[in-house]
Amino acid sequence: PSDGPLWAVNLARLQVCIVYVASGSSKLFDPDWRSGAVLLDRMVRYGDVALAHGVPERVLAFFQQPSVASLLAKGAIGTELFLAFALLSRPLRIPAIFVGICFHSAIELSSRVELFSFTTFAAYLLFATPDYRARSLRYDPTRTKAVAVARVVRSLDWLARFDVAPWEPDPL
């Protein structure tokens, strides 16, 4: 159905935001996290793993500077607190999801926390506006490129927002 009670979705959205508030707040009130000591320790401790995976030595040296770790820690805290509130704001929701995808992709690349990242990406689907087949895409079935575009749209339209169908002339 295209409409219905959304209380369960809103409750799940709120839970996602509560997780961001809790995580960002706990880091904000932890002096070691806030100063960057936690991130610096992680970067120093696992630097050899990064080098083994092809990270250039100068890049690793850059991230192992206390001032860079401090800046990254403050950025992580600010990002989590931003996401906690921006995801609930309709005008900020799309930019927040973009920031969240970039943020969690960076976490995944640097820390490999698979389940956490994948769960977060899935949770972002809760913030999609429920508008089943609200958009139309009509294509010329005689053109190869148009058929290819229609197939790509159908395969990437995981939330069923597009009604993809061949174009038909209007009746006279």
Side-chain angles (χ1 to χ4, degrees), residues 76-88:
I77 293 166
T79 300
E80 286 184 336
L81 293 175
F82 165 76
L83 289 171
F85 299 102
L87 285 170
L88 295 176

Side-chain angles (χ1 to χ4, degrees), residues 3-74:
D3 61 350
L6 293 177
W7 67 267
V9 172
N10 289 332
L11 191 60
R13 287 176 179 173
L14 182 62
Q15 181 61 46
V16 170
C17 294
I18 288 171
V19 168
Y20 278 125
V21 167
S23 180
S25 297
S26 68
K27 290 174 181 146
L28 181 64
F29 295 120
D30 180 347
D32 289 334
W33 236 106
R34 199 174 52 246
S35 70
V38 172
L39 285 180
L40 182 60
D41 176 64
R42 191 175 297 160
M43 289 181 218
V44 169
R45 187 177 302 186
Y46 299 107
D48 56 337
V49 176
L51 289 173
H53 281 91
V55 174
E57 211 169 307
R58 67 182 182 281
V59 172
L60 182 61
F62 173 76
F63 284 107
Q64 288 180 339
Q65 296 177 64
S67 60
V68 173
S70 175
L71 186 65
L72 286 174
K74 289 167 181 55

Side-chain angles (χ1 to χ4, degrees), residues 136-154:
S136 298
L137 175 67
R138 300 294 179 249
Y139 63 95
D140 184 349
T142 63
R143 300 181 67 189
T144 307
K145 288 182 182 177
V147 172
V149 167
R151 283 188 184 143
V152 167
V153 169
R154 273 193 198 112

